[in-house]
């Protein structure tokens, strides 16, 4: 997990900054090709270093894919930036939600080599992305003469706002990482579930996140991303505080609610940041899909150390207070000037 997330994290802002100066829409297919190689290596590796190399190749694929694909999504939005960002992120969240189900019903019974099955989907994705990249390249050349409008805020004000947004994303990703990495262990220990039952519960959370991503963009286009950010980060606090202390049925309900509300912030945060820094869509995508995501992965490793030392339930007791970081939203500029 660390190898994958750090590779994606460190490379994405660099790739985003480079492609802002020289957009390369056809690199979408190249990024997916790296993912194909990584998936095959995960399936076929005979030693642990092979697993690390496969994870890093998938991280490279993510780093190449996200900045350019975020730019293409914005290009295709027709001005509805939040909705386009939500649809774009819905794909990733829906795929992530399917992950535990595929693990439970394919990888667990059939073994690690069955992971190679998923490379077929990645190959198909690479072919589709080549066509998408060709379309985007034509659109880019047609609009190359249009300069981006300058930001109405000073560079210092913009930098401060980006730091706040990155911290909010970091907070969201720590909690998300605590669920995706350790939730199954928590459920197995507390409720004596089987591995497959725990994976189904994880699917509830990730499915809730997929729905939240879609709602966040749609609502953000109507009421503005700032209000969505306020509601999303702070709004889950009562539910995260209750999660470690309730029964199995209520845990399932809270899992969906937390995923739904928490994920609604991400499209709003990305759109807000893109408005703050016009013309730097790739860099913004690199920071928020890459850097903040990777920092969440590092935090997941720290949470693992805490879980070993104090127990898995203690992890969720301390993570329950993370939404208080949503108070940082007060330092963001008002949207009316954007």
């Amino acid at each position: 997990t660390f190898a994958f997330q750090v590779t994606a994290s460190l490379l994405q802002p660099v790739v985003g900054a480079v492609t802002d100066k020289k957009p390369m829409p056809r690199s979408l297919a190249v990024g997916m090709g790296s993912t194909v190689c990584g998936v095959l290596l995960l399936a076929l590796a005979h030693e642990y270093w092979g697993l690390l190399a496969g994870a890093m190749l998938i991280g490279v694929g993510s780093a190449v894919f996200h900045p350019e694909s975020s730019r293409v999504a914005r290009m295709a939005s027709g001005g509805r930036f939040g909705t386009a960002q939500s649809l774009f992120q819905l794909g990733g969240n829906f795929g992530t939600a399917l992950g535990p189900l595929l693990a439970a019903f394919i990888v667990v019974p059939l073994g690690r080599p069955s992971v190679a099955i998923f490379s077929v989907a990645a190959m198909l994705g690479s072919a589709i992305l080549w066509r998408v990249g060709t379309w985007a390249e034509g659109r880019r050349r047609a609009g190359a003469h249009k300069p981006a409008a300058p930001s109405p805020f000073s560079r210092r004000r913009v930098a401060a706002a980006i730091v706040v947004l990155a911290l909010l994303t970091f907070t969201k990703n720590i909690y998300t990482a605590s669920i995706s990495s350790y939730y199954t262990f928590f459920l197995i220990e507390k409720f004596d579930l089987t591995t497959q039952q725990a994976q189904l519960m994880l699917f509830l959370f990730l499915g809730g996140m997929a729905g939240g991503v879609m709602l966040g963009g749609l609502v953000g286009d109507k009421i503005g991303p700032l209000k969505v950010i306020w509601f999303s980060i702070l709004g889950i606090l009562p539910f995260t505080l209750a999660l470690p202390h309730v029964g199995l049925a209520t845990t399932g309900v809270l899992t969906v609610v937390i995923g739904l509300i928490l994920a609604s912030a991400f499209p709003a945060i990305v759109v807000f940041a893109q408005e703050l820094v016009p013309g730097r869509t790739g860099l913004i995508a690199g920071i928020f899909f890459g850097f903040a995501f990777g920092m969440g992965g590092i935090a997941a490793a720290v949470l693992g150390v805490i879980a070993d030392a104090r127990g898995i339930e203690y992890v969720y007791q301390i993570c329950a207070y993370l939404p208080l970081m949503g108070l940082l939203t007060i330092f963001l500029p008002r949207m009316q000037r954007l």
Side-chain angles (χ1 to χ4, degrees):
T1 302
F2 179 81
F4 160 65
Q5 292 186 324
V6 170
T7 307
S9 168
L10 296 179
L11 285 178
Q12 277 196 54
V14 176
V15 172
V18 169
T19 55
D20 279 336
K21 295 179 180 179
K22 184 176 173 55
M24 294 178 277
R26 292 192 180 94
S27 66
L28 295 174
V30 176
M32 189 64 78
S34 179
T35 299
V36 172
C37 297
V39 169
L40 288 172
L41 198 49
L42 284 181
L44 305 175
H46 295 294
E47 296 183 16
Y48 186 65
W49 68 262
L51 296 180
L52 292 179
M56 292 176 75
L57 278 171
I58 295 174
V60 170
S62 176
V64 174
F65 173 78
H66 280 112
E68 199 62 52
S69 56
S70 187
R71 186 194 329 278
V72 173
R74 189 173 175 86
M75 185 187 297
S77 69
R80 298 178 66 188
F81 302 129
T83 302
Q85 195 64 229
S86 286
L87 281 168
F88 165 54
Q89 292 177 24
L90 179 65
N93 279 269
F94 183 64
T96 302
L98 287 179
L101 296 183
L102 296 172
F105 295 110
I106 296 179
V107 181
V108 170
L110 298 181
R112 184 166 54 86
S114 65
V115 172
I117 296 168
F118 307 127
S119 66
V120 177
M123 291 174 190
L124 178 62
S126 188
I128 293 170
L129 285 173
W130 184 262
R131 296 293 302 272
V132 171
T134 301
W135 171 85
E137 180 66 18
R139 287 290 300 271
R140 184 187 71 81
R141 290 178 176 175
H145 63 283
K146 299 177 183 177
S151 173
F153 301 108
S154 68
R155 182 171 293 185
R156 179 179 295 181
R157 186 79 172 96
V158 168
I162 293 296
V163 169
V164 169
L165 290 170
L167 285 171
L168 293 176
T169 305
F170 180 44
T171 301
K172 182 189 82 68
N173 285 344
I174 293 175
Y175 195 87
T176 303
S178 78
I179 297 284
S180 59
S181 296
Y182 304 112
Y183 190 50
T184 52
F185 302 125
F186 168 74
L187 294 168
I188 290 167
E189 181 178 301
K190 185 173 182 180
F191 300 112
D192 200 29
L193 300 186
T194 67
T195 300
Q196 288 188 331
Q197 288 170 332
Q199 293 280 17
L200 287 172
M201 290 286 283
L202 179 57
F203 170 73
L204 291 177
F205 172 76
L206 297 173
M209 286 195 71
V213 159
M214 196 65 240
L215 283 174
L218 290 169
V219 174
D221 278 342
K222 295 184 182 298
I223 67 173
L226 192 59
K227 293 178 181 176
V228 174
I229 294 170
W230 269 115
F231 170 74
S232 177
I233 304 294
L234 276 175
I236 63 167
L237 185 60
F239 307 109
T240 58
L241 288 171
L243 184 67
H245 309 290
V246 296
L248 180 59
T250 308
T251 296
V253 173
L254 290 179
T255 297
V256 176
V257 172
I258 290 170
L260 193 71
I261 298 175
L262 185 64
S264 65
F266 199 47
I269 287 172
V270 172
V271 170
F272 197 108
Q274 288 174 342
E275 295 294 316
L276 282 170
V277 193
R280 303 304 300 273
T281 305
L283 177 62
I284 293 301
I287 291 172
F288 289 96
F289 286 106
F291 182 72
F293 175 75
M295 293 303 101
I298 293 172
V302 175
L303 291 175
V305 175
I306 295 172
D308 285 341
R310 299 293 300 272
I312 198 76
E313 289 192 43
Y314 183 73
V315 168
Y316 290 100
Q317 290 169 4
I318 59 174
C319 285
Y321 293 93
L322 284 172
L324 285 172
M325 289 283 284
L327 292 170
L328 289 172
T329 306
I330 198 170
F331 296 109
L332 293 176
R334 305 283 76 82
M335 286 296 292
Q336 285 82 351
R337 290 182 60 188
L338 290 175

